[in-house]
Amino acid sequence: MKKSILVPLVLLLLPLCAACAKSYDYTRHISECRRDVYRAETEEFSVTLNVVSREYPYADDGIACPATTVGEVSLVPQSDLRADFEICLAGDTAWGGEMSFRNVRGDYAYSESFDFALPETVTLRISWGEETREVAATSVRTQNTLSPEAALGYAVAAERETVEKMTENGVFCGEFRVRLLKRDATYYYVGIIGKDGSTLSLLLDSETGDVLARRQS
């Protein structure tokens, strides 16, 4: 009697075991991940702080290398204000420095690595000349925003055929770029990059994971 019960149980468990065997952790192939975006705007300037984990060296070669986390700031004056801007996180954290002007983008930029978590709102202290301003920059994420890992899962599911073509002997031979974006709404960009540098770019709804646009380059 016991034997007759065990056999059906084993048969029921076989599909579950097979599914577990087929699971694959694509997140280990993420070479760039913009996990959060903080924004603030005043009458004098707008400022954006991106929290990014990025591989080093940074290359479109289909290989994800070890990554470090950096804070990347972009400050855009609302007028023709040109000055030597400095920026820092207000509080006890020693993070910040002098910003550099970028002619191509027309903004001031600063980046520095850090290894600490940020709250939902951060205070940025911006100084130039005799002026100093403190602004509260708030994350664009909401409780409905997908994690970068979940967004990648939706992208892989939508491009299963492409991903399988890039898989050799059970190993994915490529890399992913996952970036949280804020435009008129919040989106995720997911780039699927092959060893030859070819890139499949996807734009996803940040809450549902639906693919809104697709481009091959």
Side-chain angles (χ1 to χ4, degrees):
M1 180 65 69
K2 290 183 178 180
K3 184 176 181 180
S4 63
I5 294 175
L6 286 173
V7 171
L9 286 175
V10 171
L11 292 176
L12 288 171
L13 289 173
L14 281 176
L16 295 176
C17 294
C20 293
K22 291 180 180 180
S23 63
Y24 189 89
D25 183 14
Y26 288 99
T27 62
R28 62 193 179 99
H29 297 284
I30 297 177
S31 59
E32 181 185 25
C33 178
R34 183 188 296 164
R35 185 170 295 275
D36 213 336
V37 177
Y38 292 80
R39 300 182 72 187
E41 187 170 338
T42 72
E43 294 180 353
E44 296 160 312
F45 50 75
S46 61
V47 60
T48 302
L49 167 62
N50 295 323
V51 180
V52 184
S53 294
R54 183 179 292 117
E55 68 174 356
Y56 183 82
Y58 189 68
D60 292 335
D61 55 9
I63 302 173
C65 297
T68 57
T69 301
V70 299
E72 298 180 338
V73 179
S74 170
L75 183 148
V76 180
Q78 302 286 25
S79 62
D80 294 331
L81 176 63
R82 292 291 295 270
D84 295 327
F85 287 97
E86 292 187 2
I87 190 166
C88 68
L89 282 174
D92 298 331
T93 302
W95 185 94
E98 185 176 344
M99 308 187 77
S100 300
F101 183 71
R102 296 188 292 194
N103 285 299
V104 175
R105 299 188 180 185
D107 69 343
Y108 291 83
Y110 179 80
S111 65
E112 182 182 347
S113 62
F114 63 82
D115 57 359
F116 47 87
L118 295 178
E120 184 178 345
T121 299
V122 298
T123 300
L124 298 173
R125 183 179 295 120
I126 300 163
S127 304
W128 70 99
E130 301 296 324
E131 304 289 339
T132 297
R133 302 286 186 274
E134 287 193 354
V135 297
T138 303
S139 170
V140 301
R141 298 184 62 86
T142 70
Q143 60 181 2
N144 297 320
T145 305
L146 296 170
S147 68
E149 293 78 11
L152 176 60
Y154 279 103
V156 169
E159 294 293 335
R160 176 60 60 184
E161 183 177 348
T162 299
V163 171
E164 288 181 351
K165 288 180 179 178
M166 299 170 65
T167 302
E168 301 175 7
N169 299 320
V171 178
F172 177 71
C173 299
E175 62 182 316
F176 300 104
R177 302 250 166 88
V178 185
R179 301 170 186 156
L180 184 64
L181 305 175
K182 179 63 177 179
R183 300 293 185 266
D184 58 319
T186 307
Y187 305 95
Y188 269 107
Y189 163 84
V190 177
I192 305 175
I193 303 168
K195 293 186 293 185
D196 59 354
S198 61
T199 302
L200 174 60
S201 298
L202 304 175
L203 185 68
L204 276 63
D205 185 293
S206 67
E207 296 185 358
T208 66
D210 293 337
V211 177
L212 305 176
R214 182 182 189 274
R215 184 182 66 183
Q216 183 76 54
S217 60

